[in-house]
Amino acid sequence: MASGLAVALAGGGAAAYRLSVNGGAGAAAAPGDSTGIPLQLRGNLPERYLALIALDSGGPRGGLRNLVNRVHASAEPGASVGFALGAAFFGPRASLPRPRQLRAMPHFAGDLLEPSMSHGDLLVHVVGNKAAAIQKTVERIRNTDSAHWTIRWHIDGSRPDNRVEDGRSLARNPFHFTEGFGNPDTERESLDLALIPSDQNEPQWAVGGSYQVVRIIRFATDLWDKDSVGEQERIVGRQRDGRWLDGTPVDEQPNFAADPTGRITPLDSHVRLAAPDRRNPPPIVRRSYSYNKGNGDKGIIFSCFQRDLAQGFEAVQNRLEGEAMAKYLLTTGGGYFFVPPHGDGWIDALSYSG
């Protein structure tokens, strides 16, 4: 298997504004106030369970508001729903104000994207801390009667050992490693990295939203488990619990410059390629989940949020080409999406009858 595992920056972000109910700019947000924050980025600790449902539109976008209302009505107690837009939603209509960077996710080195598990017009994000509530919500969404919307793909995920340590949300992936140390340690810092500010030359309705990348990455766990723990740690560039290979504490940044030949932390290890300067980490916020479809198909639903795709995910992904971990990974689906700001202002801006 081969692939890279992907793990702006003008001022602004949540520190500069609070979004009102209709998605417009409002007063400054109070600490801990998530009123104007998109569901996908609220809080430092993601919910334990996730379902992603990608929908395609077979007709006019005039039914968007009705669909959104029906999906919200489908949510069971204990489950919440959010939305993100794919490039195909906007179609060829130049008059529709689309986010500047939104396009179909390209193939990267080693990808084997399945069309039936990639892209989509609208991505429904279902989260909660009870698996049963997620399952019931997904069933109700699947049974929603819509003349114009059909399900393109669906995947379920969970976060084993989901927890917060020193402000960072951590979980264990199918390779038995703890991940999440690269994220900012406060919600404010995360939102400053992820949310579109008013001076980024995006459509007005998109201010306060975020670019989301989803990558469904299959892990070759049988092959991985044949390696010793020491070899696995050299491939990743960290110990399983997150400690650095050179002895640097987990909450500090190692000095890779002091190891120029990669004797301690290999030059082709995942963390060294993803963020060669640990003091300037990639401007993305990761919120990933593990999946297990059975029959050996398990891996992660990698998800990250950013203001700028080129400076965020794509810069990391390009650096990861040729990493030692590549032979254990295969990206089979996902896509680029845009998470609209909180409220329904985006529906007013994007609904049309043609």
Side-chain angles (χ1 to χ4, degrees):
M1 291 185 172
S3 170
L5 174 60
V7 258
L9 280 175
Y17 54 77
R18 169 184 172 184
L19 298 177
S20 66
V21 158
N22 67 2
D33 182 2
S34 63
T35 302
I37 301 171
L39 171 79
Q40 294 90 327
L41 286 161
R42 292 179 188 170
N44 260 21
L45 183 65
E47 287 84 350
R48 186 177 178 186
Y49 298 102
L50 163 84
L52 294 180
I53 306 171
L55 304 175
D56 281 341
S57 173
R61 300 320 195 259
L64 177 63
R65 184 182 301 277
N66 180 263
L67 176 71
V68 168
N69 290 339
R70 289 189 179 200
V71 170
H72 275 301
S74 298
E76 289 282 321
S80 301
V81 297
F83 301 89
L85 301 162
F89 172 86
F90 295 88
R93 292 174 61 102
S95 60
L96 202 60
R98 64 187 296 160
R100 288 189 307 112
Q101 300 178 31
L102 187 60
R103 64 191 190 282
M105 184 176 71
H107 284 70
F108 292 90
D111 286 3
L112 188 61
L113 299 180
E114 301 174 9
S116 62
M117 288 297 296
S118 304
H119 315 301
D121 290 0
L122 185 71
L123 186 68
V124 181
H125 180 102
V126 186
V127 290
N129 287 316
K130 295 182 178 179
I134 300 298
Q135 293 170 358
K136 290 180 180 178
T137 300
V138 170
E139 290 174 4
R140 294 183 66 178
I141 293 173
R142 281 188 168 277
N143 292 329
T144 296
D145 182 22
S146 174
H148 302 303
W149 295 88
T150 58
I151 293 178
R152 182 180 180 91
W153 55 267
H154 157 233
I155 193 168
D156 298 310
S158 65
R159 288 176 57 89
D161 294 338
N162 193 32
R163 65 194 189 277
V164 170
E165 290 183 7
D166 297 323
R168 291 178 172 85
S169 59
L170 306 177
R172 187 183 74 253
N173 67 33
F175 279 170
H176 323 297
F177 277 71
T178 298
E179 60 177 43
F181 292 106
N183 276 334
D185 56 8
T186 68
E187 183 183 41
R188 175 61 58 82
E189 290 175 298
S190 292
L191 297 178
D192 283 344
L193 288 181
L195 296 187
I196 303 293
S198 58
D199 60 356
Q200 195 170 305
N201 194 30
E202 294 282 3
Q204 181 59 38
W205 71 265
V207 173
S210 183
Y211 287 100
Q212 179 181 11
V213 176
V214 176
R215 304 270 286 174
I216 301 172
I217 306 173
R218 184 171 180 174
F219 281 20
T221 53
D222 289 345
L223 180 63
W224 179 261
D225 289 340
K226 292 179 180 178
D227 292 336
S228 68
V229 173
E231 178 62 19
Q232 293 173 356
E233 291 177 339
R234 286 180 61 79
I235 291 171
V236 173
R238 284 183 183 264
Q239 298 182 40
R240 281 187 171 185
D241 61 4
R243 289 178 294 167
W244 297 102
L245 300 186
D246 65 358
T248 302
V250 67
D251 59 346
E252 298 181 15
Q253 302 300 336
N255 182 9
F256 289 149
D259 180 27
T261 63
R263 183 180 63 85
I264 299 174
T265 305
L267 300 180
D268 61 354
S269 64
H270 178 75
V271 299
R272 188 152 185 173
L273 287 176
D277 181 0
R278 300 302 304 187
R279 291 160 180 78
N280 293 288
I284 62 177
V285 177
R286 305 163 186 81
R287 295 214 162 179
S288 298
Y289 285 75
S290 297
Y291 79 85
N292 188 347
K293 294 184 178 181
N295 297 319
D297 186 356
K298 63 176 65 174
I300 67 166
I301 308 165
F302 173 85
S303 182
C304 71
F305 302 84
Q306 58 259 285
R307 296 179 179 181
D308 188 293
L309 286 168
Q311 297 184 50
F313 165 77
E314 291 181 351
V316 176
Q317 187 66 31
N318 289 330
R319 286 196 298 267
L320 286 172
E321 184 173 348
E323 66 168 328
M325 195 187 290
K327 69 177 183 179
Y328 304 91
L329 309 172
L330 181 65
T331 300
T332 61
Y336 284 177
F337 299 93
F338 188 83
V339 178
H342 176 76
D344 59 4
W346 63 279
I347 303 177
D348 295 333
L350 300 179
S351 293
Y352 65 94
S353 59

